[in-house]
Amino acid sequence: MMCWKNNKSVGASLMNRGEALGKPRVGRVGYINCFPIFYPLEKGLIKLSAQIVADHPSNLNSLFAAGDIEVTAVSSIAYAHQCSSCVVLPDLAIASDGAVWSVALLSRVPLSQLKGERVSLTPYSATSIALLQILLSRFYEVEVEYFYRPQGVSPWWGEPKATLVIGDEALKTIYRYLEEDELCANQKCYVYDLGAEWKKFTGKQMVFALWVVRRDFMEQHPVLLRETWLALQEAKSWSSRHRRFIAEQAQSLIRIPAEIMEDYFRHIKYELYLNGLHQFFEYAWHCGVLDSQVQAEVWRDPVVEPVKHG
Ligand SMILES: C=C(O[C@@H]1C=C(C(=O)O)C=C[C@H]1O)C(=O)O
């Protein structure tokens, strides 16, 4: 199995090679949030015959839309935009049931006072951007001026009044703020966890990303698909049984203490909460983010008994 960070020059040749070998190209969000799923696979503790493509969510969304990966986590809103060409895999997602810790709006003022202010958006997200739009316009009833910051700059680039962060950037920034209490107090930074905000207003879980398979791959390679899905399920289950160990391994990668990482891995969920997902799609439609209502089409493993969703 290969793992590589997507990069245009190397990427194309590796991807073609993968296709020739008849292995699926499997997309992995390159953040610590996916570490529990991919650690056992990348370490060979659980066998997966695939090429792993690690990247930011927005890049995975584009690669999948272009047909350059067969099975991947994509932003749930990106799935809604291309649902006719793919099918959702069950019992896997990047989700939360309340606070998620790694998707947050950092703001210099309370959220209700953001009216007319400039809000910076991370270029790496799709779902969290839609979620922020829904929360601000529908629940806080504030209209703001959004702008995308360039890739690789600090979240406060361009001096916005508030800034959206996801993934490792969110975890690291919030952890630093917590450590340097004063810094936060001096610069007045309010931290709004978007998973918690969503739960507060809707009472539902939030599905930030879900796993999808291209429809053509599903039809042409049912056995490969089944093996891939089973490996992902096994990895999820392995990590939930070894949470402390996983947190210790993650600690050195992200430089956040293992106790905190263990708590993080308790907050972040890997369940496909269809109820929360459909509620999110409905609000996205009402807010004009989606053109139509979307129902997720979930792949059913023809062999294994169906498992219950939350
Ligand atoms: C919970 C998270 O959800 C993420 C948010 C995504 C998005 O906003 O499109 C996509 C994948 C996830 O990485 C996170 O980034 O930690």
Side-chain angles (χ1 to χ4, degrees):
M1 187 180 63
M2 268 167 172
C3 180
W4 51 282
K5 183 114 184 74
N6 183 47
N7 138 342
K8 284 214 165 75
S9 54
V10 187
S13 62
L14 281 178
M15 285 197 288
N16 294 340
R17 197 170 346 141
E19 207 168 30
L21 293 172
K23 290 179 185 177
R25 295 162 297 186
V26 173
R28 173 216 156 132
V29 174
Y31 302 157
I32 211 81
N33 59 19
C34 275
F35 187 73
I37 304 291
F38 283 89
Y39 178 89
L41 301 172
E42 287 167 354
K43 289 290 174 196
L45 300 169
I46 290 160
K47 195 175 165 296
L48 172 67
S49 184
Q51 267 190 11
I52 296 183
V53 181
D55 216 324
H56 292 288
S58 53
N59 293 345
L60 288 180
N61 299 344
S62 306
L63 285 170
F64 186 66
D68 287 337
I69 32 184
E70 284 78 36
V71 175
T72 186
V74 289
S75 303
S76 42
I77 200 75
Y79 161 72
H81 284 301
Q82 51 179 306
C83 54
S84 59
S85 62
C86 60
V87 174
V88 177
L89 296 184
D91 305 307
L92 208 54
I94 304 176
S96 70
D97 187 7
V100 62
W101 289 23
S102 54
V103 176
L105 186 74
L106 313 175
S107 180
R108 299 285 185 218
V109 295
L111 249 170
S112 53
Q113 292 170 25
L114 269 181
K115 186 167 178 252
E117 299 289 359
R118 294 172 70 243
V119 174
S120 169
L121 299 175
T122 164
Y124 302 126
S125 157
T127 301
S128 308
I129 292 172
L131 175 60
L132 180 64
Q133 286 174 322
I134 292 168
L135 289 168
L136 290 187
S137 70
R138 170 103 192 197
F139 297 115
Y140 283 92
E141 298 183 345
V142 287
E143 293 307 320
V144 300
E145 197 192 308
Y146 294 108
F147 73 95
Y148 279 96
R149 61 180 173 270
Q151 296 201 0
V153 300
S154 125
W156 292 106
W157 182 91
E159 303 197 359
K161 199 59 110 188
T163 184
L164 177 65
V165 283
I166 69 165
D168 295 5
E169 182 174 59
L171 276 177
K172 284 181 186 164
T173 310
I174 296 167
Y175 177 66
R176 193 166 55 86
Y177 285 179
L178 290 176
E179 273 220 303
E180 303 162 25
D181 233 9
E182 245 175 88
L183 183 123
C184 209
N186 284 343
Q187 300 199 359
K188 286 228 181 72
C189 183
Y190 298 82
V191 178
Y192 293 92
D193 184 304
L194 295 200
E197 290 292 313
W198 171 255
K199 175 100 184 193
K200 180 167 95 190
F201 287 110
T202 65
K204 300 244 158 63
Q205 295 102 343
M206 179 66 206
V207 178
F208 291 93
L210 37 75
W211 262 261
V212 284
V213 55
R214 295 196 58 76
R215 209 175 273 279
D216 48 5
F217 183 82
M218 175 184 80
E219 284 158 5
Q220 288 158 24
H221 301 281
V223 177
L224 269 182
L225 172 60
R226 181 160 191 276
E227 283 171 4
T228 305
W229 178 74
L230 284 174
L232 290 165
Q233 289 301 317
E234 234 185 285
K236 170 180 145 183
S237 153
W238 190 93
S239 287
S240 74
R241 284 181 275 115
H242 298 86
R243 195 177 279 134
R244 177 70 199 182
F245 174 78
I246 284 288
E248 280 162 5
Q249 302 306 304
Q251 168 177 12
S252 55
L253 293 177
I254 193 154
R255 295 203 195 89
I256 295 179
E259 309 79 69
I260 296 183
M261 290 314 292
E262 194 177 356
D263 228 3
Y264 172 62
F265 291 137
R266 212 170 279 123
H267 277 81
I268 196 137
K269 310 285 187 218
Y270 300 107
E271 305 308 317
L272 180 63
Y273 299 113
L274 283 176
N275 210 320
L277 179 72
H278 287 141
Q279 179 75 85
F280 171 63
F281 286 163
E282 199 174 320
Y283 280 125
W285 177 52
H286 287 310
C287 289
V289 175
L290 291 177
D291 295 335
S292 57
Q293 263 181 309
V294 173
Q295 273 301 103
E297 182 185 344
V298 183
W299 174 77
R300 286 273 156 224
D301 181 349
V303 181
V304 171
E305 283 292 301
V307 197
K308 265 200 249 146
H309 303 293

